């Protein structure tokens, strides 16, 4: 309890963070490393709890293309089966005799109809088959319109192309120590008016009840005009810091998480982009400093930013 009182007397805790104060009701980290809330929602039907548009915009690229291709072939297999059950004799131009070849030609006729290519080699005859073909053509137009919108949404979606260091460090700083983490823009974007905010959540026992205490961490520099090189976020550990007096042992024995929010204006998107990440206390390296990331070019005309050194650090004595 003495340790808890020391924190409360030196740092002002936050009352509303969106993550709740009861540590017994929350599990794991608050944010994933990618910056998403580590929350699983229950109590609603599966399809009511999913926004398919947001899902298709945020899933990995390989999953997106896999779903598009799987949907494409599944739909055409269904229509090919329907044509085959109606009778391939209602599809003029099919000359195959074996059932497998007949189904194959019905499948490729379905693809031609679905994509509105229409080579003309095979054509429907009879009202029912023509009606099915017209429905498939309409379904194909709508499907490609949706797919085009999803492609454009993924391509044009504003994203903060920023990488964070894998670890936060407790490093020497102006005769004392500071909490540091590093970030860097890794693509050919122009980010301006960058702003950083850091919140820490610490799990402590208060009146024999586990409680989440949240604190806002002051930064040496919370805003910069232009983010072109790497940016090291520095929180000086002074008497007003919740980490004041923390030792390496206390970082390892206490459960806590540091949540980082970066906002910047992207000139290309003409929009504000946001990036989040978090560091649990076991991802903090005690007694280390980051190695430099940029150097002069040989002809002294450019600055070389070595992004592969983002996580590079050297152990030091504190």
């Amino acid at each position: 309890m003495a340790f808890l009182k020391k924190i409360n007397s030196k740092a002002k805790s936050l009352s509303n963070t969106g993550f709740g104060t009861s540590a017994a009701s929350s599990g794991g980290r608050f944010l994933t490393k990618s910056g998403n809330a580590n929350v699983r929602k229950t109590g609603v039907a599966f399809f009511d709890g999913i926004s398919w548009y947001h899902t298709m915009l945020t899933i990995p690229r390989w999953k997106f293309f896999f779903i598009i291709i799987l949907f494409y072939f599944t739909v055409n297999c269904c229509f090919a089966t329907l044509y085959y059950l109606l009778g391939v004799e209602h599809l003029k131009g099919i000359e195959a005799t074996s059932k497998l070849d007949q189904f194959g030609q019905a499948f490729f006729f379905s693809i031609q109809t679905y994509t509105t290519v229409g080579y003309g080699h095979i054509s429907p005859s009879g009202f029912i088959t023509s009606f099915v073909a017209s429905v498939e053509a309409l379904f194909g137009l709508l499907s490609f319109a949706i797919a085009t919108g999803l492609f454009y949404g993924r391509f044009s979606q504003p994203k903060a192309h920023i990488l964070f260091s894998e670890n936060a460090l407790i490093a020497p700083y102006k005769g004392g120590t500071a909490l540091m983490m590093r970030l860097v823009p890794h693509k050919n974007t122009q980010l301006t008016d960058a702003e950083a905010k850091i919140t820490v959540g610490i799990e402590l026992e208060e009146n024999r009840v586990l409680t989440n205490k949240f604190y806002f961490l002051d930064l040496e520099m919370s805003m910069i005009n232009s983010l072109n090189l790497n940016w090291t976020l520095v929180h000086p550990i002074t008497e007003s810091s919740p980490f004041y007096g923390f030792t390496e042992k206390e970082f390892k024995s206490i459960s806590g998480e540091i949540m980082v929010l970066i906002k910047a204006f992207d000139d290309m998107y003409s929009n504000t982009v946001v990036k989040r990440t978090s560091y649990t206390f076991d991802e903090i390296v005690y007694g280390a400093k980051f190695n430099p990331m940029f150097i002069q070019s040989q002809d002294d005309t450019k600055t070389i930013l070595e992004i592969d050194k983002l996580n590079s650090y050297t152990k030091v004595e504190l």
Side-chain angles (χ1 to χ4, degrees), residues 17-304:
T17 62
F19 292 103
T21 58
S22 176
S25 301
S26 58
R29 63 197 303 158
F30 299 112
L31 297 177
T32 64
K33 291 297 286 184
S34 60
N36 297 319
N38 188 30
V39 177
R40 184 178 65 187
K41 300 177 181 179
T42 62
V44 294
F46 176 77
F47 291 105
D48 291 337
I50 293 179
S51 169
W52 291 107
Y53 179 73
H54 288 83
T55 300
M56 293 298 289
L57 290 186
T58 56
I59 58 175
R61 190 178 293 110
W62 72 269
K63 287 186 178 180
F64 176 79
F65 285 108
F66 176 78
I67 291 174
I68 294 294
I69 294 173
L70 179 64
F71 178 82
Y72 176 79
F73 281 100
T74 299
V75 168
N76 282 286
C77 281
C78 292
F79 276 102
T81 302
L82 187 57
Y83 291 131
Y84 183 83
L85 294 177
L86 290 175
V88 293
E89 63 272 11
H90 296 294
L91 295 177
K92 294 181 179 180
I94 292 184
E95 301 174 352
T97 56
S98 68
K99 294 182 178 181
L100 182 60
D101 288 342
Q102 289 176 349
F103 181 84
Q105 293 198 31
F107 175 78
F108 287 111
F109 169 72
S110 173
I111 290 179
Q112 296 170 24
T113 305
Y114 184 76
T115 58
T116 67
V117 172
Y119 291 119
H121 175 65
I122 302 174
S123 59
S125 65
F127 175 78
I128 297 179
T129 305
S130 299
F131 177 77
V132 172
S134 63
V135 171
E136 182 180 13
L138 176 62
F139 188 74
L141 289 172
L142 295 177
S143 299
F144 279 102
I146 294 174
T148 301
L150 291 174
F151 269 105
Y152 177 77
R154 288 181 64 93
F155 184 78
S156 61
Q157 182 184 18
K159 294 180 180 179
H161 299 290
I162 295 174
L163 295 176
F164 291 93
S165 58
E166 294 179 1
N167 300 99
L169 309 183
I170 301 296
Y173 179 74
K174 292 183 178 180
T177 59
L179 172 72
M180 300 183 184
M181 62 280 294
R182 191 156 66 175
L183 59 96
V184 64
H186 65 102
K187 292 198 176 183
N188 56 332
T189 56
Q190 295 293 327
L191 300 177
T192 58
D193 298 327
E195 179 181 2
K197 294 182 179 181
I198 302 181
T199 305
V200 60
I202 305 176
E203 183 179 297
L204 296 171
E205 185 176 341
E206 187 175 30
N207 298 325
R208 297 183 179 181
V209 177
L210 286 177
T211 304
N212 289 324
K213 290 289 185 179
F214 295 91
Y215 303 88
F216 178 75
L217 300 186
D218 294 325
L219 295 176
E220 174 199 38
M221 184 180 297
S222 61
M223 296 186 66
I224 56 176
N225 292 333
S226 182
L227 182 55
N228 297 313
L229 301 174
N230 63 282
W231 184 14
T232 300
L233 304 178
V234 178
H235 165 65
I237 300 179
T238 62
E239 291 187 359
S240 62
S241 169
F243 296 137
Y244 184 71
F246 267 44
T247 63
E248 183 176 7
K249 181 180 178 181
E250 287 164 338
F251 273 112
K252 292 181 178 179
S253 61
I254 297 176
S255 178
E257 182 176 351
I258 300 165
M259 293 163 282
V260 183
L261 170 68
I262 302 295
K263 292 194 301 183
F265 185 81
D266 191 307
D267 291 349
M268 182 61 66
Y269 291 123
S270 293
N271 206 340
T272 299
V273 293
V274 177
K275 189 74 171 182
R276 294 179 295 269
T277 192
S278 77
Y279 301 90
T280 56
F281 279 12
D282 57 2
E283 293 171 335
I284 297 176
V285 179
Y286 194 89
K289 65 176 182 179
F290 285 114
N291 296 324
M293 281 186 63
F294 55 89
I295 58 174
Q296 292 179 345
S297 61
Q298 292 184 353
D299 57 3
D300 198 21
T301 59
K302 286 186 177 295
T303 301
I304 307 300

